[in-house]
Amino acid sequence: MAKKQVKKSWAEPFKIKVVEPIKMTTKSEREKAAKEAGYNTFLLKSEDVYIDLLTDSGTNAMSDYQWAGMMIGDEAYAGSKNFYYLWDNVKKYYGMPYFVPTHQGRAAEHMVSKIMIKPGDYIPGNMYFTTTRVHQELAGATFVDVIVDQAHDPANTYAWKGNIDLKKMAKLVKEVGAKKIPYVSMAGPVNMAGGQPFSMKNLKDVYEFCKKHKIKLWFDATRACENAYFIKEKEKGYKTKSVEQILKEMCSYFDGLWVSAKKDLLVNIGGIIATKNKKVYEEARNMVVVYEGLHTYGGLAGRDMEAMARGMEEMVEYDNIHLRVGQVEYCGHQLEKYGVPIVKPIGGHAIFLDAKKFLSHLPQDQFPAQTLAAEIYIDSGVRAMERGIASAGRDPETGDHRYPKLELVRLTFPRRVYTQAHIDVMVESIASVYARRKKIKGLKMVYEPKYLRFFQCKFERL
Ligand code: F0G
């Protein structure tokens, strides 16, 4: 009995071979850096950051197997052997016959949107993602959020907050007609909802619905392996299936997918369009030449494609994903011990602090999440990201801010980069900011670019 209880810890399924030293800064240095960055963590110099949880995008540590692959990059302009190896792995892991590489996810989103959308169309999706929606809108569509209501409530512990609400889908079809809906844009796990997965049951229902109404179903498979992991852990009937098998089954319900390889694939750059549809493939293959480069490199070096192909083999390994989700869970449970309000259930790639609750004295137009991210940086050099009113941008019709229900700060975990000790330091910093939260003042926006404003906007303290 006692023996069983002792063996409950787990650790990284690797040992560390190369290290990158990080600079330690003082609080007054960080005050200055934050002010210069307009209190926008995107505008900080990475050198001034201690633990960088801005994003899990392109911030991964590659394995020795991937680095070894970088040495056999075939840098031919056309027909690189790394491209063909990557294509084989796209078929093997995503089960899609056709493939076009892109330099990163939003390039894929751009092309898929341009190919699939006609001006005046509607794109339903399980909550917006910033770059996804902007490309859908630039192609002339209106994005319609059809995620389940639970996803908009940070305290709701429903396991499948990434699910699509079919009643919302049916309502949209009734209002605008299926002909105006070229495809459903389904992501899993849902980044902006807190890394929340959809269930296989929901995906099958969405698939049947789309089939009935002759609407295509496209997948933002950027973190699909995490979604597969949650299905394995939580959904009945999947315990004995491998992540690889679950991923393949998920993909089988989609007409096509795009991927930001900078996440699941454990690389620093790259993107994918993959589809079952030959016509769409041919259009994408032609378009990529205009925007990215020849269809056998899509804006990437041969060595990048080799690292992606090898990363794909590692992304489905259970121990890798267990480490990843396990770290996020550990962090969340530690924060809960201090009473810090977080989005629940704990998601796949990040902990999301509920800034509305954390800084409940600040109205949303004083940017509580932006303020909190800046405060955490100044406290300890930990860099997080706003996911609230600044990220939501303006309504193209009214020009007013969009006021999202979720006003969050995202602490995103790069893959295989930080240890449990880093997490402990970060948790203590956030707990100390939480203890003095009542004294924190909000921000006002003083500079705002037109597109994806959160990346470059600037603020001043009120
Ligand atoms: N889709 C999802 C779900 C994403 O999270 C991202 C990027 C993209 C598409 C776009 O891919 O960056 O390669 O162009 N997310 C990053 C993040 C930026 O921090 O969440 P990209």
Side-chain angles (χ1 to χ4, degrees):
M1 185 71 190
K3 228 179 188 175
K4 254 188 195 162
Q5 278 177 351
V6 171
K7 284 195 176 177
K8 64 181 183 4
S9 290
W10 54 275
E12 286 77 4
F14 53 78
K15 53 188 176 174
I16 297 165
K17 179 141 64 180
V18 177
V19 296
E20 177 186 340
I22 37 185
K23 193 172 103 182
M24 311 295 278
T25 50
T26 63
K27 192 160 183 182
S28 67
E29 284 169 341
R30 292 192 295 272
E31 272 286 358
K32 190 165 162 271
K35 197 169 175 206
E36 274 171 19
Y39 299 96
N40 182 348
T41 51
F42 278 104
L43 300 178
L44 288 167
K45 291 184 184 142
S46 132
E47 258 198 333
D48 295 331
V49 173
Y50 174 40
I51 300 173
D52 201 349
L53 306 178
L54 183 73
T55 176
D56 62 334
S57 181
T59 52
N60 310 299
M62 294 205 293
S63 65
D64 53 359
Y65 174 60
Q66 286 174 292
W67 278 109
M70 298 286 278
M71 288 305 291
I72 55 160
D74 172 2
E75 306 306 341
Y77 188 91
S80 157
K81 72 175 183 213
N82 314 111
F83 164 76
Y84 288 105
Y85 178 35
L86 178 55
W87 193 351
D88 284 345
N89 273 358
V90 168
K91 288 180 205 157
K92 181 172 172 195
Y93 294 103
Y94 295 101
M96 298 270 166
Y98 302 117
F99 155 65
V100 173
T102 64
H103 83 278
Q104 64 181 81
R106 71 199 70 180
E109 292 173 332
H110 168 213
M111 288 186 277
V112 170
S113 305
K114 265 198 130 135
I115 293 166
M116 301 292 297
I117 294 169
K118 285 192 302 305
D121 281 346
Y122 292 82
I123 303 296
N126 51 348
M127 199 173 270
Y128 84 99
F129 183 70
T130 53
T131 58
T132 318
R133 182 177 65 189
V134 85
H135 283 297
Q136 290 162 352
E137 287 176 351
L138 286 170
T142 302
F143 176 82
V144 183
D145 187 3
V146 291
I147 202 165
V148 291
D149 284 340
Q150 290 95 322
H152 292 281
D153 174 4
N156 191 306
T157 58
Y158 181 49
W160 306 108
K161 283 163 95 173
N163 278 359
I164 282 180
D165 185 336
L166 282 164
K167 284 204 256 8
K168 291 184 188 173
M169 279 296 308
K171 185 165 168 271
L172 182 69
V173 169
K174 209 167 156 210
E175 275 167 18
V176 305
K179 285 207 166 66
K180 286 253 176 230
I181 308 174
Y183 66 98
V184 174
S185 175
M186 193 163 179
V190 179
N191 193 346
M192 302 298 279
Q196 306 294 334
F198 58 71
S199 67
M200 195 73 88
K201 159 95 177 51
N202 183 250
L203 172 56
K204 285 186 199 167
D205 291 345
V206 174
Y207 167 78
E208 291 300 335
F209 181 95
C210 287
K211 203 163 86 176
K212 185 171 145 209
H213 293 278
K214 296 197 171 59
I215 298 169
K216 301 282 185 221
L217 183 55
W218 276 72
F219 188 19
D220 181 341
T222 293
R223 297 182 184 82
C225 288
E226 290 164 24
N227 204 106
Y229 173 88
F230 283 121
I231 289 175
K232 180 175 171 66
E233 296 294 302
K234 297 186 187 182
E235 191 163 353
K236 228 175 119 201
Y238 287 93
K239 210 149 227 77
T240 58
K241 295 243 163 81
S242 68
V243 170
E244 186 178 334
Q245 287 169 324
I246 298 170
L247 175 66
K248 198 87 169 269
E249 183 185 339
M250 283 159 64
C251 293
S252 72
Y253 299 112
F254 290 94
D255 295 284
L257 55 87
W258 64 87
V259 180
S260 165
K262 301 170 77 173
K263 285 80 167 177
D264 265 1
L265 274 68
L266 298 156
V267 289
N268 307 115
I269 197 73
I272 288 171
I273 297 174
T275 175
K276 295 173 185 163
N277 185 314
K278 193 163 182 216
K279 211 168 143 276
V280 171
Y281 160 65
E282 280 171 357
E283 278 191 59
R285 191 180 58 174
N286 193 203
M287 199 179 274
V288 79
V289 190
V290 179
Y291 292 107
E292 297 279 284
L294 193 69
H295 61 277
T296 62
Y297 75 86
L300 295 163
R303 53 180 169 269
D304 297 327
M305 291 188 284
E306 186 67 23
M308 280 167 71
R310 293 183 178 213
M312 232 178 246
E313 292 159 19
E314 293 178 1
M315 76 178 181
V316 293
E317 282 171 16
Y318 180 83
D319 285 346
N320 264 327
I321 310 181
H322 181 224
L323 162 71
R324 164 154 192 70
V325 181
Q327 272 199 333
V328 176
E329 265 172 11
Y330 172 80
C331 175
H333 291 147
Q334 296 305 310
L335 285 169
E336 282 185 306
K337 284 186 190 162
Y338 291 98
V340 175
I342 62 171
V343 173
K344 286 200 269 189
I346 293 167
H349 65 308
I351 288 295
F352 289 72
L353 306 176
D354 183 352
K356 256 189 198 168
K357 264 206 189 131
F358 198 118
L359 298 178
S360 56
H361 58 292
L362 298 186
Q364 200 168 9
D365 60 5
Q366 290 184 16
F367 304 96
Q370 193 79 42
T371 305
L372 181 54
E375 285 297 326
I376 293 168
Y377 170 71
I378 292 166
D379 186 77
S380 59
V382 170
R383 170 155 70 170
M385 181 195 287
E386 191 262 12
R387 293 275 84 150
I389 184 169
S391 291
R394 290 186 185 272
D395 186 314
E397 303 245 300
T398 65
D400 192 10
H401 293 303
R402 287 168 164 133
Y403 285 84
K405 286 207 181 101
L406 300 179
E407 179 71 25
L408 310 174
V409 169
R410 190 182 74 172
L411 305 157
T412 337
F413 287 69
R415 294 164 189 77
R416 309 192 288 208
V417 171
Y418 292 115
T419 65
Q420 195 159 307
H422 286 113
I423 298 174
D424 289 336
V425 168
M426 172 192 122
V427 166
E428 285 167 20
S429 164
I430 293 165
S432 77
V433 174
Y434 189 60
R436 61 176 173 80
R437 63 190 179 278
K438 296 260 157 48
K439 294 201 190 97
I440 295 171
K441 295 205 170 72
L443 295 169
K444 68 169 183 208
M445 199 186 273
V446 293
Y447 169 72
E448 180 178 358
K450 188 165 167 204
Y451 299 113
L452 301 173
R453 64 180 183 176
F454 59 94
F455 282 127
Q456 293 155 337
C457 57
K458 289 195 161 195
F459 300 84
E460 276 171 14
R461 272 200 167 123
L462 283 170

